[in-house]
Amino acid sequence: MRFLSLQSHVAYGYVGNRAATFPLQRLGHEVWAVNTVEFSNHTGYGAWRGRAASAEQVGEIVQGIEALGLFSRCDGLLTGYVGDAALADVVLDTAGRVRAANPRAVWCCDPVLGDIDTGVYVKPGIEAFFRERAIPAADLVTPNHFELELLTGRKVSTLDQALAAARLLLQGPRLALITSLRRADAPGDTIEMVAVTHEAAWRIETPMIGFPIAPNGTGDAVAALFTAHWISGDEIPEALGKAASSIFAVLEATQAMGERELQLVAAQDRLVAPPRVFRAERL
């Protein structure tokens, strides 16, 4: 398949387009990566160099791809970190252009806003953009636990609360995928992902892998993997199982190597054929 991906880029590490592009390519898909920022490294290090791309620059690159007649062949649009509120119109305009060329194209909107251990790490205006404009227009939304609470204004401590909050986001999207769920009524040594539609929900659980510093970019990789499996024809629970198994295998390899960054290249064979397979259960 072919994906247009508007996300962040770092020279060192694996977040945004760096976390999404290689896994998709390793699965055999084509990725047209458009970078919304150019940083030396992700902001979790506390210091970085680089800058956000201007809305004009991103828009011109998108238009250049469109001019080649490629949008009619685009199967999926991935959007994630938006470095500046000025890029909001470009993201929405891109989605409209892709859909006009191929109404079957699926838009996966990853509302990158922050995480439990960092809080909000985006500029003012980005949260409102995702909540009011991007998510209602998307097909699939992939928040982490922190972002789910932030976007819905609800505290999520139980599975029932997670399902109720996720369904609040389904005012446009067909599906919400909570890419990491840490709830009070679950074992502390596990982490979950939950996929929710209006009619049904599925949960998958994997062991929690302990790190001195948890790798960034896992949500970006999961969103890309799940989207690829889902729109290639897998049912939701199968797509969820494949994405969870792959990211667990990568995290396991990353821990064994003592690295801080996701070892997507070193663990590429595990990414495609995970040694341990996890299966989703219907709730």
Side-chain angles (χ1 to χ4, degrees):
M1 295 182 297
R2 300 170 181 86
F3 292 87
L4 176 62
S5 182
L6 274 66
Q7 300 194 65
S8 61
H9 171 81
V10 291
Y12 173 75
Y14 292 93
V15 298
N17 268 332
R18 288 268 287 166
T21 300
F22 180 74
L24 290 175
Q25 291 172 329
R26 190 61 179 81
L27 291 175
H29 306 304
E30 188 70 28
V31 183
W32 310 323
V34 179
N35 299 326
T36 57
V37 304
E38 297 274 356
F39 287 167
S40 56
N41 50 272
H42 66 70
T43 59
Y45 285 93
W48 67 94
R49 297 293 180 91
R51 65 193 64 189
S54 69
E56 181 182 14
Q57 175 183 326
V58 174
E60 286 181 355
I61 294 172
V62 168
Q63 290 167 25
I65 297 171
E66 181 184 28
L68 297 175
L70 295 175
F71 281 5
S72 63
R73 303 166 62 195
C74 181
D75 299 291
L77 171 64
L78 305 175
T79 63
Y81 182 86
V82 177
D84 194 290
L87 282 170
D89 289 335
V90 176
V91 171
L92 292 174
D93 180 65
T94 299
R97 290 170 181 265
V98 169
R99 283 174 166 162
N102 181 11
R104 296 183 303 278
V106 170
W107 178 10
C108 171
C109 175
D110 187 5
V112 178
L113 295 168
D115 213 335
I116 292 173
D117 57 342
T118 61
V120 176
Y121 52 63
V122 295
K123 293 181 179 180
I126 303 299
E127 179 186 338
F129 160 67
F130 279 121
R131 181 188 296 110
E132 299 169 11
R133 303 178 67 195
I135 293 174
D139 299 291
L140 165 63
V141 57
T142 59
N144 60 31
H145 189 140
F146 175 84
E147 291 157 349
L148 178 66
E149 292 186 330
L150 187 64
L151 288 165
T152 61
R154 291 195 174 193
K155 182 65 176 175
V156 173
S157 300
T158 69
L159 184 56
D160 285 344
Q161 289 174 343
L163 298 181
R167 288 194 168 106
L168 289 177
L169 299 179
L170 300 180
Q171 308 298 319
R174 291 178 273 159
L175 175 64
L177 171 63
I178 308 171
T179 57
S180 62
L181 179 63
R182 297 292 305 276
R183 55 190 175 90
D185 57 344
D189 58 350
T190 64
I191 191 166
E192 298 169 313
M193 292 193 285
V194 180
V196 184
T197 68
H198 284 291
E199 299 81 19
W202 296 264
R203 180 188 73 92
I204 196 163
E205 176 186 285
T206 60
M208 175 70 72
I209 298 177
F211 286 93
I213 300 176
N216 293 68
T218 56
D220 304 324
V222 165
L225 289 166
F226 177 86
T227 303
H229 291 308
W230 184 43
I231 67 177
S232 67
D234 283 339
E235 297 295 330
I236 293 171
E238 283 70 37
L240 184 57
K242 289 179 179 180
S245 300
S246 290
I247 200 64
F248 178 82
V250 171
L251 286 168
E252 199 172 41
T254 301
Q255 182 195 48
M257 296 174 68
E259 295 286 348
R260 174 172 179 172
E261 296 292 337
L262 287 175
Q263 295 300 294
L264 293 169
V265 176
Q268 60 182 283
D269 292 337
R270 288 169 163 249
L271 179 72
V272 176
R276 185 171 178 182
V277 175
F278 298 90
R279 302 191 187 282
E281 64 167 348
R282 182 160 182 163
L283 299 173

